[in-house]
Amino acid sequence: VPVPGPSLGSRPCGAQGRVPAGVRRQVTAEQLRARGNALFQAGDHGAALAAYTEALSLSDAASERAVLHRNRAACYLKLEDYTKAEADATKAIEADGRDVKALFRRSQALQQLGRLDQAVSDLQRCVSLEPRNKAFQEALRALGSSMHEKMKTMSCTDSKVEQMFQILLDLDEKDEDKKQKAAQNLIVLAREEAGAEKIFQSDGVRLLLQLLDTAKADLMLAALRTLVGLCSGHRSRTMAILAELGAPRLSAVLGVEHEQVSLAACNLLHVMFDSLKEGLQKDFRGKEDAVVLDSSRDLKLLIKHLLELLVLEGASAHGRDNALNLLIKVVPRKSPKETNNSLSLWVIDQGLKKILEVGSTVCGSLGSLPVTENSRMSASVLLSKLYEDLKCDAERENFHHLCEDYVRSWFEGHELPGKLRAIQTVSCLLQGPSDAGNRVLELEGIMDSVLSLCASVSEAHQLVAVEALIHAADKAKRASFITANGVSLLKEIYKHSERDSIRIRALVGLCKLGSAGGTDFSMKQFAEGSTMKLAKQCRKWLCNEAIDAGTRRWAVEGLAYLTFDADVKEEFVEDKAAMQAMFHLAKSEDRSVLYAVASTLVNCTNSYDHEEPDPQMLELAKYAKQHIPEQHPKDKPEFVKRRVRKLLTAGVVSALACMVKSENPALTNSCRELISRVFLALVEEAEDRGGVVAQGGGKALIPLSLEGTEVGQTKAAQALAKITITSNPEMAFPGERIYEVVRPLVSLLHLQRTGLENFEGLMALTNLAGISERLRQKILKERAVPMIEGYMFEEHELIRLAATECMCNMAMSKEVQELFLAEGSDRLKLMVLYSGEEDEKLRRAASGTLAMLTALHPPICKRIPQVTVHWLEILQALLLSPSAELQHRGAVVVMNMMAAAQEVAEQLIASEMLEILSVLAKDKDKP
């Protein structure tokens, strides 16, 4: 009988709750093994594995341990962890070489790992021990057929590989289509493990080296992309290829002028780094461990050549950018949980000054390195990542000394060009590790030189000095000094300079100093109306396409500061041309504008953190004559809502989606957080969510919810939850994307999240759990069920309701149904008692769960009378309820219980149930 699903509630906020922990009894290894067997039979392979593992820790008998290892191998096979399945089966075989079950399980694992010859050997042993076992005979026949097919494919592949290389290396071959097809086939073949191994074994690396040496872009691209397939996830092959090609050659290819070739070399090096760091993924373990002992020497060799490329005069500008991007990705630790930061320390000692060489480059000066508009930003990001990776004061002090020595080396004794390099280095550090930037800014003579060069007649010199002044104004430590000494200078430059490139930078400096009060309406640095004039000029420059994009970027920088003022926000969203010009810049090649765009949007949508002040504290502050921040009248919710609508109309979502796709270092974790904040503000109103999804917002939110700062990931996950609650999830996240949404939503259930985040996470998971069994399995795999249960004990009624509704949909899974029958569990009792609560919505969700459980899992029907003495009166109350939905659920539960067992049916009939049902059956208004 179909049961109406739970309805959705409104948004609350409140405290969190926990499920009380049960008391653990002493158990023996034999009892644990029996429990593991029962769990395995019930399909809960993860729990069975845990039981067998615990039994192993209690068992000393060799025969008992062998059986447990064999059972664990069966669990690992079901969980598709074939490496561990093989290891456990091997331990069982070592104890008893005639254990056919262990031999058969190991053959299954070996087959999945691609080691067919060893799998055949194990199966042949099984057949010799049990010649009449048809299952073994059939498995051996199927595996023999599979091996024959593989051998046939391999021999066919041999001739194909040879033929492709012949076409590509034939200098007389003029058919370009034929060559292109051969190159493409080679790349596709290398993506498959068997094809990659065949190319490798067929002297393919030497032939690929010949393709690289032709210096023809198309052939070099084919070689590099094929090498990516050979190295991907295979450490021993990677080390062999690195030995054959040599790090200097790879570094040289990275530095070539051809942009696509340089990018392909960058991709290859990234794959090599991953393979050397992560080790075995696709490898054959036996051969692998014999060959590979330590790859750290190769890692350092590659990094050493990348660092040398940074200062190599002949290297291309984009090659230098690619080297910086690689270093950002591979050197710092991925997580603070990793304790070893030795690679970062080694790079700081060996290459910090080389990175600063790129960061200190003054474009157009004599002997300067070729750089792009993104190079200095990439150098700043790398320096910042290295600094963040340091663990103690001594390491940070060493970093500071190296930076100070470098700045001094240029500032002292190099005349004007040296001073420019020193000041450019300060700018680079202030944009990256600002602590280091502030330290060098305090060196004697630096600040004075910055101020004096601001008045230089040379445009290039003025640019360097004004930019340094702007970055210094960012730091509160320096802002007061610059307000006193730099404002009049910046005003002079802004008013009298004839060059827009200089005026726009001076304007940004004034914008930064003018916004020192942030969103506090009562703290304004400049006279009334000055901020509006600055903002108007910024918008004018932003819309002027005659000015180059690099200069127009500074107009966005200015707006990022000026939009703290609500009047500026209001004027900006009314200027559709300015908004679209900013979005266009966000999609351009110059990625250094990303942070400024994201900051401007956070200000316009008021999506920064702001806490409501405690009224008592306000009174105290007034009494003590302390400053009290004031909100601008135009920052009230109705104004914010209107601004969000105007941004949506102007196309903000497609700009944000484009920003998220960027692989550039400028897309830092803090930049990701800002974008997540904006997205959360954009989906606040339910009617706007469809439009956000249609323009690519849903797709963009998934990577934001999985990577970045914890705050950024949470904001993106909450935005995903809001979309999932009010949209059809299958349309909002089509195909496989819907399964990627589960993990971010489950993260909202953690206890450190707010009540509102918990509630929205539960609501969104309720919708997903009602769609398909595969989604329910994904939710189970993410270990969400214990957290959902925890919130069923929550004091806040709306969170408790959402958790119960979520459990109602999860109850369609067999694994969840089994949980309600687990020994010592109060889950079923809670559902029965909730079905008798006063809160109608909670009763509806709980009784819906009971209806589902009793229909899908009849043994639960027998358990209901045992969990509480009030079960009968609760069921009767459901049937007598004025709500037709509750009556329906009650009738379904009673019908299922009547059908399940005679003793339960007798108890029901002995009560007043038959009379109640007779009355309900005659009600024509409720068919």
Side-chain angles (χ1 to χ4, degrees), residues 7 9 796-806 839 841-842 845:
S7 65
H796 197 291
E797 57 188 35
L798 286 170
I799 296 179
R800 186 169 68 237
L801 169 64
T804 311
E805 288 177 340
C806 193
D839 180 347
K841 286 181 179 176
L842 182 63

Side-chain angles (χ1 to χ4, degrees), residues 517-521 524 564-565 569 603 608 630-632 635:
T519 56
D520 183 356
F521 181 47
K524 292 299 160 202
F564 280 127
D565 187 314
K569 300 177 201 183
N603 291 341
Y608 37 71
E630 290 178 27
Q631 187 189 39
H632 196 294
D635 270 335

Side-chain angles (χ1 to χ4, degrees), residues 81-97:
D81 191 339
Y82 303 114
T83 305
K84 287 182 180 173
E86 184 222 342
D88 263 318
T90 300
K91 284 176 183 171
I93 293 161
E94 283 167 2
D96 179 7

Side-chain angles (χ1 to χ4, degrees), residues 683-794:
V683 298
E684 186 59 40
E685 299 299 323
E687 59 266 34
D688 296 331
R689 294 170 194 170
V692 171
V693 169
Q695 292 174 59
K699 185 180 178 183
L701 277 165
I702 294 170
L704 288 172
S705 66
L706 298 170
E707 196 179 334
T709 65
E710 189 176 351
V711 172
Q713 288 183 51
T714 305
K715 300 279 181 196
Q718 197 182 354
L720 285 171
K722 286 178 187 289
I723 291 168
T724 310
I725 290 167
T726 54
S727 312
N728 177 349
E730 290 173 291
M731 291 178 73
F733 309 105
E736 292 298 303
R737 204 175 296 153
I738 195 169
Y739 302 99
E740 295 174 49
V741 176
V742 173
R743 182 172 295 170
L745 295 180
V746 172
S747 75
L748 293 175
L749 305 189
H750 295 155
L751 289 172
Q752 65 268 37
R753 302 286 177 259
T754 66
L756 177 59
E757 288 162 358
N758 299 154
F759 175 73
E760 291 185 331
L762 288 164
M763 296 265 280
L765 287 168
T766 301
N767 278 4
L768 291 185
I771 291 172
S772 71
E773 180 57 26
R774 190 179 162 197
L775 271 167
R776 288 189 286 277
Q777 287 299 322
K778 177 71 176 165
I779 295 168
L780 278 163
K781 198 174 178 182
E782 294 295 336
R783 298 182 180 148
V785 170
M787 289 188 273
I788 296 166
E789 284 180 342
Y791 288 113
M792 287 173 66
F793 291 90
E794 174 61 58

Side-chain angles (χ1 to χ4, degrees), residues 101-171:
K101 283 186 180 178
L103 283 162
F104 184 64
R105 283 168 194 169
R106 187 169 74 172
S107 78
Q108 288 177 295
L110 290 166
Q111 194 172 344
Q112 293 296 335
L113 291 167
R115 291 145 68 182
L116 301 186
D117 49 344
Q118 290 168 273
V120 165
S121 173
D122 277 352
L123 272 175
Q124 285 172 337
R125 177 89 175 124
C126 288
V127 170
S128 69
L129 288 168
E130 291 189 12
R132 292 184 182 179
N133 190 315
K134 289 186 178 176
F136 294 160
Q137 290 169 4
E138 188 55 44
L140 186 60
R141 195 178 301 116
L143 190 53
S145 161
S146 173
M147 279 193 74
H148 176 71
E149 197 60 41
K150 189 178 177 184
M151 294 299 289
K152 194 174 168 185
T153 307
M154 290 295 271
S155 60
C156 178
T157 306
D158 280 359
S159 58
K160 276 185 183 174
V161 170
E162 199 177 321
Q163 193 181 1
M164 283 184 271
F165 276 118
Q166 275 178 359
I167 295 166
L168 291 169
L169 291 167
D170 185 359
L171 298 174

Side-chain angles (χ1 to χ4, degrees), residues 73-366:
C75 292
Y76 281 127
L77 283 171
K78 290 288 186 185
L79 295 167
E80 298 181 12
D81 191 339
Y82 303 114
T83 305
K84 287 182 180 173
E86 184 222 342
D88 263 318
T90 300
K91 284 176 183 171
I93 293 161
E94 283 167 2
D96 179 7
R98 298 174 66 82
D99 187 339
V100 287
K101 283 186 180 178
L103 283 162
F104 184 64
R105 283 168 194 169
R106 187 169 74 172
S107 78
Q108 288 177 295
L110 290 166
Q111 194 172 344
Q112 293 296 335
L113 291 167
R115 291 145 68 182
L116 301 186
D117 49 344
Q118 290 168 273
V120 165
S121 173
D122 277 352
L123 272 175
Q124 285 172 337
R125 177 89 175 124
C126 288
V127 170
S128 69
L129 288 168
E130 291 189 12
R132 292 184 182 179
N133 190 315
K134 289 186 178 176
F136 294 160
Q137 290 169 4
E138 188 55 44
L140 186 60
R141 195 178 301 116
L143 190 53
S145 161
S146 173
M147 279 193 74
H148 176 71
E149 197 60 41
K150 189 178 177 184
M151 294 299 289
K152 194 174 168 185
T153 307
M154 290 295 271
S155 60
C156 178
T157 306
D158 280 359
S159 58
K160 276 185 183 174
V161 170
E162 199 177 321
Q163 193 181 1
M164 283 184 271
F165 276 118
Q166 275 178 359
I167 295 166
L168 291 169
L169 291 167
D170 185 359
L171 298 174
D172 299 324
E173 179 61 69
K174 302 295 180 197
D175 189 341
E176 288 302 319
D177 284 348
K178 194 175 179 183
K179 278 195 167 189
Q180 202 172 357
K181 198 171 180 182
Q184 195 56 42
N185 287 342
L186 200 61
I187 295 162
V188 170
L189 189 65
R191 285 177 190 154
E192 296 293 326
E193 174 54 36
E197 189 62 23
K198 198 67 243 167
I199 294 170
F200 184 73
Q201 297 293 350
S202 308
D203 198 23
V205 179
R206 187 182 61 79
L207 296 169
L208 289 167
L209 198 54
Q210 286 181 33
L211 289 178
L212 278 178
D213 289 342
T214 60
K216 290 184 177 178
D218 53 343
L219 296 180
M220 289 176 82
L221 283 168
L224 291 164
R225 287 166 183 167
T226 305
L227 285 166
V228 165
L230 299 187
C231 295
S232 191
H234 203 299
R235 186 165 57 163
S236 57
R237 269 205 306 258
T238 301
M239 293 182 78
I241 289 166
L242 187 54
E244 181 87 27
L245 265 68
R249 188 194 297 265
L250 283 167
S251 177
V253 176
L254 184 67
V256 298
E257 284 294 339
H258 195 285
E259 206 165 330
Q260 275 188 300
V261 172
S262 176
L263 200 60
C266 176
N267 190 26
L268 170 61
L269 282 163
H270 194 191
V271 166
M272 284 181 147
F273 275 117
D274 283 350
S275 299
L276 293 171
K277 282 178 106 173
E278 302 301 329
L280 312 169
Q281 282 172 14
K282 299 180 186 172
D283 297 13
F284 301 108
R285 287 182 74 97
K287 300 173 188 174
E288 186 72 5
D289 291 340
V291 176
V292 179
L293 295 170
D294 182 24
S295 56
S296 61
R297 188 178 60 82
D298 294 281
L299 268 172
K300 285 185 175 175
L301 182 67
L302 276 177
I303 290 170
K304 178 173 172 280
H305 283 282
L306 286 179
L307 291 168
E308 285 172 3
L309 177 71
L310 296 181
V311 291
L312 192 68
E313 286 184 14
S316 65
H318 44 256
R320 197 166 274 105
D321 278 5
N322 287 333
L324 285 167
N325 293 356
L326 265 174
L327 290 166
I328 289 165
K329 287 173 184 171
V330 302
V331 175
R333 291 171 295 167
K334 293 279 186 289
S335 158
K337 290 175 187 173
E338 294 174 37
T339 53
N340 186 0
N341 70 338
S342 59
L343 202 54
S344 288
L345 295 175
W346 184 82
V347 168
I348 288 166
D349 286 337
Q350 300 291 317
L352 184 67
K353 291 187 178 179
K354 293 182 174 76
I355 300 163
L356 288 171
E357 280 289 308
V358 181
S360 68
T361 299
V362 179
C363 294
S365 63
L366 193 66

Side-chain angles (χ1 to χ4, degrees), residues 362 416-417 420 423 450 453-454 456-467 502:
V362 179
L416 185 58
L420 286 169
I423 292 168
V450 171
L453 280 169
C454 280
S456 170
V457 291
S458 162
E459 181 179 3
H461 300 172
Q462 250 191 326
L463 279 175
V464 171
V466 173
E467 282 188 24
I502 301 290

